[in-house]
Amino acid sequence: MRLYEGEIGKTYEVEDMHMPLETERRMEALGMTRKTSVTVMNKKRRGAMVIKLRGTRFALGEEILKSIQVREVESHA
């Protein structure tokens, strides 16, 4: 599934990213690499999303979110 489809409060693991090389490098510099856990904190009406990545909150736009392939991580609660 795409990160864009993620639900608030759920955690996902990044499987792959399909975006321009420059954008992908920038995301990697922020800590978003394959196998990284990402938690969806909030979703905005126009497609943007606030995520938590390695302890830091980031706001990402719809186009970037649609370019990130993720899988849901099972909760241990």
Side-chain angles (χ1 to χ4, degrees):
M1 74 182 278
R2 302 290 175 191
L3 185 54
Y4 180 77
E5 303 167 69
E7 296 178 28
I8 295 172
K10 293 196 175 183
T11 301
Y12 302 91
E13 183 178 277
V14 177
E15 290 186 325
D16 203 8
M17 295 186 285
H18 300 284
M19 57 187 71
L21 186 60
E22 184 177 316
T23 305
E24 188 170 340
R25 293 284 187 245
R26 181 160 298 192
M27 296 304 294
E28 288 173 352
L30 294 173
M32 183 176 285
T33 56
R34 286 158 186 82
K35 305 291 184 190
T36 302
S37 292
V38 176
T39 303
V40 177
M41 304 300 289
N42 200 357
K43 291 177 96 168
K44 304 295 182 178
R45 277 189 221 155
R46 296 194 175 189
M49 186 180 281
V50 178
I51 63 166
K52 191 171 201 176
L53 172 69
R54 298 185 187 260
T56 304
R57 293 167 59 114
F58 293 98
L60 299 178
E62 181 179 354
E63 289 303 311
I64 290 176
L65 294 168
K66 286 181 176 178
S67 301
I68 302 170
Q69 183 79 29
V70 296
R71 70 173 183 85
E72 189 171 346
V73 176
E74 298 293 324
S75 62
H76 301 320

